[in-house]
Amino acid sequence: MGPYLLGLRLSGRRVLVVGGGHVAQRRVPALLEAGAVVTLVSPGVTPALDDLIAAGRVTWHARPYEVGDCDGAWLVQACTDDRAVNTAVAAEAEAKHIWCVRADDKDASAAWTPASGRVDEISVAVTAGGDPRRAAGIRDAVVGALRDGTVDARRSRTKPVGVALVGGGPGDPGLITVRGRQLLAQADVVVADRLAPRALLDELAPDVELIDAAKVPYGRSLAQDKINEILVDRARQGRFVVRLKGGDPFVFGRGGEEMIACARAGIPVLVVPGITSAVAVPSAAGVPVTHRGVSQEFHVVSVHVAPDDPASTVDWPAMARSQGTLVLLMAVERLAKVAEALLRDGRSPETPVMVVQDGTLPTQRTVVAPLSTVADRVSAAGIRPPAIVVVGDVVRVGQEVEMVRAERLP
């Protein structure tokens, strides 16, 4: 017969664990998380258990099991590597009408410990006929589906309210955070940027209102005031709104303006950080923005206006003098003027520059050239936005990695 599944509320209740090895090491933290008062009986323990004992979270009797140890326990875990000891522990527990889990013999065990997981208020437990590997695999699949919204999360009674500013990451839909994907699955309205991971939009339920908030360079664009108005209007209708943005909402994403607009309207706002393309795209192209002995700093600069534009607030002479890495966003159309400014103020003409278009996506393209010629090379290659520009000697680190890889190929 199959087991009768029951969720035990162990807060404040004594649980006996016999054995101090790796099985106990896995089970004790879950018992503590459930609020159990854990007593551990074992001549020795693993370092991880020793740490819990030192912190006062577990009572340890450093000796072998003795008859009477089960007294006062609500639950017993027999986790030693000695079958005879586990049999004795289980026999005492059975005689005293205490549920006992044997780690060594599922058929002789009065109870099974399920493979368990938790997503917000939802707990998942799987037994799979006492097969722990199979149970863990099924548990992982269910928990993953709950986290990314594959399992319908929109039916929850505790669905979020207001507006969530969600950073979608650098482009690859797999690089959005777990929390961001979960909220996207719960949305009633999605207001999406052009650089948001648009492949995720195909997964939205048919009744989700999708609003295109694209800002195409030198093309069609939805004004920021209008975006703010939409966020407030839909949230006031009682609908949960996700503002899906590329990268991180607060890195040149105007998330601060949207948060202020919602706050002024009394709309609750949840901010979910995203992986900014300023770091992710160079990484995807094999270039670290910092590297020991090469660069201990990096600067992220928006080049939505040229260095000689009166609206520019960037200290370009300081950028030229810096020995750190420069990561330039929205710079492709003004790359010639950027190079001119950096060269004029002291950067070496031989400074390596990497330009990456469509970073993290299957269409990713890369151009590497010296600062003195990079603008011409990029133009000749037909590189278009969105693209990230990396200026500095860290570009050579990426090239070195590629050379090492090439040398190791058969």
Side-chain angles (χ1 to χ4, degrees), residues 211-263:
I211 298 173
D212 188 349
K215 292 184 173 68
V216 180
Y218 314 109
R220 298 176 59 184
S221 179
L222 188 61
Q224 187 62 50
D225 287 346
K226 181 62 177 178
I227 294 173
N228 297 347
E229 180 184 321
I230 290 171
L231 298 179
V232 171
D233 174 70
R234 299 305 192 274
R236 279 179 170 165
Q237 295 176 20
R239 304 165 77 188
F240 176 50
V241 184
V242 168
R243 174 71 168 106
L244 184 62
K245 309 170 78 68
D248 183 275
F250 289 173
V251 180
F252 305 126
R254 304 187 73 170
E257 297 173 49
E258 294 166 356
M259 183 174 63
I260 290 171
C262 290

Side-chain angles (χ1 to χ4, degrees), residues 22-32 77 79 101-103 113:
H22 293 293
V23 175
Q25 179 179 311
R26 289 198 304 269
R27 295 189 179 175
V28 167
L31 293 168
L32 293 174
Q77 297 266 355
C79 303
V101 179
R102 285 188 61 163
T113 297

